[in-house]
Every structure is written in C-alpha cells, then in structure tokens.
Amino acid sequence: MEKILNNLGLCFRSGNLILGEEAVVNAIREGKVCYVFLANDTGPNTKKKILDKAQFYGVELNIDFDSLSLSQALGKGTVKVVGLKTKGSNFIKILRK
C-alpha cells in the first residue's frame, strides 16, 4: 500500500492526475480518466456520484485509502477524489503492482 501512495505522488508530480470531485467527474465524462482513487471516508453523496460515474463509463476505482493518506501522498490539503489521466496510463501498471 505504501508503494502505491509513493507512486501516486510521482504521478502527481508528472502532471498525470486530476484532483477534486467536479474535475474528476467532468474528466470521466470526457474520457480523460482511466483510474480513480476515492477516499474511503468520503461522504455518501460524493461516494455515490463517483461510483455511479465510474461504473457507467467503465473506469477502474480504488477505495483502499482514506483522505489523509491521499493528501499526504500528494502533498496537498484534503483530497477525496483523484483521477489518473488516460495519457498517464503507463502509470496504471505501476499502481496495480
């Protein structure tokens, strides 16, 4: 799990992540996201919204981390939703290991 968070930070520094609920939802709709991290302590409305969008558009979803872990990995404030851009799909191989 720690390795995934470290690699997530690397993805962020390379510019291959989208942060925030609305930005990720819009990117899912536009086909710009291939993988989503959703904090497991996210509120029920946000969780439902992201789960429904990801399922409808066939985007993989990871809910293994809480918002504190995601935030620390990215060096940002509170982060609940993170999308991996399709152009950064080479990182998906790293994140799945």
Side-chain angles (χ1 to χ4, degrees), residues 55-70:
Q55 184 178 14
F56 183 80
Y57 288 95
V59 175
E60 289 185 64
L61 191 70
N62 181 316
I63 56 171
D64 293 337
F65 304 102
D66 60 8
S67 59
L68 180 62
S69 299
L70 291 174

Side-chain angles (χ1 to χ4, degrees), residues 14-93:
S14 71
N16 286 307
L17 295 182
I18 298 172
L19 305 181
E21 175 189 353
E22 289 304 317
V24 171
V25 167
N26 290 334
I28 290 172
R29 281 190 200 125
E30 295 169 2
K32 295 180 179 178
V33 169
C34 63
Y35 197 88
V36 173
F37 288 89
L38 178 65
N40 55 22
D41 57 350
T42 301
N45 292 338
T46 302
K47 190 174 282 190
K48 180 179 179 350
K49 186 177 190 179
I50 298 296
L51 289 171
D52 289 349
K53 289 291 179 206
Q55 184 178 14
F56 183 80
Y57 288 95
V59 175
E60 289 185 64
L61 191 70
N62 181 316
I63 56 171
D64 293 337
F65 304 102
D66 60 8
S67 59
L68 180 62
S69 299
L70 291 174
S71 299
Q72 287 178 342
L74 302 175
K76 289 291 201 178
T78 305
V79 177
K80 301 275 186 180
V81 184
V82 178
L84 177 61
K85 292 180 184 178
T86 304
K87 72 172 187 167
S89 58
N90 289 336
F91 281 107
I92 200 85
K93 296 171 190 170

